[in-house]
Amino acid sequence: MNAPSSNTMRAITQSRYGDADVLDLAKIPVPSIASDEVLVKVHAAGLDRGTEHLLTGKPYAMRLAVGLRRPKQPVPGRDVAGTVAAVGSSVTRFAVGDEVYGVAPGSFAEFAVGKERKLAHKPANLSFAEAAVVPVSAGTALRAVEHVGHLEALQSVLVLGASGGVGSYAVQIAKAIGAEVTGASSTSKRDFVRSLGADHVIDYTQQDFADGSRRYDLILDIAGNPSLTRLRRALTPRGTAVFVGGENAGSLLGMGRQVRGVLVSPFLRQRLVLLPTRESAEDYDRLTELIEAGKVTPRLDDTYPLEDAAEAVRRLERGEIQGKVAITV
């Protein structure tokens, strides 16, 4: 395998949990790879809500997996797009020089390591910055809409948090299937949600999606913290609500409402289901098909150079981003 010309690289690092102020630009060793791994020369990295949660270490329960007192992975970032710099001995899908995208923990750096099974060839019609904002958010949306939500043509779907990273992809994927799509957003982001292809837009500051005027076959609960009662009121009698995320749901577990929904679901005609975590090349290959066919387009709000990654995180914390932002290297 080939190797980088230097054994050090620039990277954004964090030595403790906190907000964007804990991020520093540093020189650290280039990571080594195992037999089933790929070393990616990073051209761009995506920023998503998951990265923010890993930065803050909240909900606190997640620290059992990612580090109790400080992050086990000191370099943030998961989404990646770049070129293959080296491959492990058992890797067969990629060669040095290939353009790839997918998941590589520690992607806010000049090099990052990804498992072969979590990378795919980059869509030919996307720039590296555009490709970098696809994997985590679009992969989550794809699983929520197709794999778990089982959305079909002509059905109705409500996307809560339609202007965000996952939501902006969910609207487009649902439209590609042939569903009737309603997106919920704040007043300032209504036009953006319409531009994604939504048939209807709800301004959640002025309208209540659970007022009984419409019912949906599928609700993607991506943002906010609506009660189970409100979600069920907006579903058809045999509709499905998929818990994709939820902000402002508490710092300890952050999932109490979702767990309650899963526990009561077996006793209902409606389905209330958690979205399991999965990152796979198969999903990214499927997204590549949709992207190259023009059915899904990444909505890149802005790009920031590596040294300005903290400012990108601050914009995410303030809720200013429409779609996604990328960190360029």
Side-chain angles (χ1 to χ4, degrees):
M1 66 181 183
N2 292 345
S5 58
S6 173
N7 58 3
T8 63
M9 65 179 187
R10 293 186 310 142
I12 296 297
T13 63
Q14 63 171 121
S15 59
R16 65 189 190 278
Y17 292 114
D19 58 19
D21 292 335
V22 306
L23 297 177
D24 293 303
L25 182 65
K27 279 273 193 178
I28 64 173
V30 173
S32 57
I33 58 175
S35 61
D36 63 340
E37 293 178 332
V38 175
L39 182 67
V40 179
K41 178 176 175 53
V42 179
H43 292 281
L47 174 61
D48 64 282
R49 281 289 177 188
T51 294
E52 182 192 12
H53 289 306
L54 291 170
L55 176 69
T56 62
K58 295 180 182 179
Y60 291 115
M62 70 185 293
R63 298 191 185 188
L64 295 173
V66 301
L68 287 175
R69 296 184 177 181
R70 62 183 63 87
K72 294 179 182 178
Q73 168 56 269
V75 181
R78 296 184 61 77
D79 279 319
V80 71
T83 55
V84 174
V87 297
S89 58
S90 66
V91 172
T92 59
R93 297 181 64 235
F94 305 109
V96 172
D98 284 354
E99 297 183 348
V100 297
Y101 77 137
V103 169
S107 59
F108 286 12
E110 292 180 316
F111 293 91
V113 174
K115 296 286 187 182
E116 180 182 23
R117 67 177 184 274
K118 295 187 178 184
L119 295 170
H121 291 282
K122 182 180 75 67
N125 59 337
L126 295 187
S127 67
F128 284 108
E130 291 169 329
V133 300
V134 172
V136 171
S137 293
T140 299
L142 180 72
R143 294 195 311 279
V145 173
E146 292 190 355
H147 304 338
V148 177
H150 306 304
L151 186 67
E152 298 178 359
L154 304 182
Q155 287 188 320
S156 59
V157 57
L158 170 64
V159 181
L160 300 177
S163 65
V166 176
S168 62
Y169 287 113
V171 169
Q172 295 181 75
I173 292 169
K175 285 299 295 180
I177 290 172
E180 182 181 7
V181 182
T182 299
S185 73
S186 63
T187 305
S188 63
K189 298 178 180 178
R190 288 180 302 180
D191 289 342
F192 174 73
V193 175
R194 288 193 184 95
S195 76
L196 296 169
D199 300 289
H200 314 283
V201 180
I202 291 175
D203 181 346
Y204 66 73
T205 67
Q206 301 179 26
Q207 301 166 270
D208 181 7
F209 73 86
D211 63 6
S213 60
R214 292 181 62 88
R215 291 181 179 270
Y216 304 92
D217 298 299
L218 175 64
I219 296 177
L220 302 184
D221 179 21
I222 300 171
N225 194 29
S227 69
L228 297 181
T229 299
R230 294 181 66 223
L231 285 174
R232 293 191 58 207
R233 189 184 302 142
L235 282 174
T236 58
R238 294 189 179 276
T240 295
V242 179
F243 298 112
V244 181
E247 302 302 317
N248 306 314
S251 295
L252 183 58
L253 294 175
M255 294 185 64
R257 176 182 59 100
Q258 293 94 320
V259 171
R260 290 195 302 274
V262 172
L263 291 176
V264 302
S265 185
F267 306 99
L268 306 173
R269 289 188 298 167
Q270 296 165 325
R271 289 176 66 226
L272 307 177
V273 58
L274 276 171
L275 182 69
T277 299
R278 192 183 87 161
E279 298 161 346
S280 74
E282 290 81 4
D283 287 344
Y284 306 144
D285 287 337
R286 165 69 173 145
L287 289 167
T288 294
E289 293 176 4
L290 292 170
I291 290 167
E292 292 185 341
K295 296 180 179 180
V296 171
T297 302
R299 295 307 178 99
L300 187 61
D301 183 287
D302 207 346
T303 61
Y304 292 82
L306 187 64
E307 57 269 24
D308 291 339
E311 180 55 32
V313 173
R314 291 187 187 97
R315 282 198 61 205
L316 182 67
E317 292 170 344
R318 294 194 295 262
E320 297 175 355
I321 295 171
Q322 296 185 133
K324 299 291 296 289
V325 297
I327 308 302
T328 56
V329 183

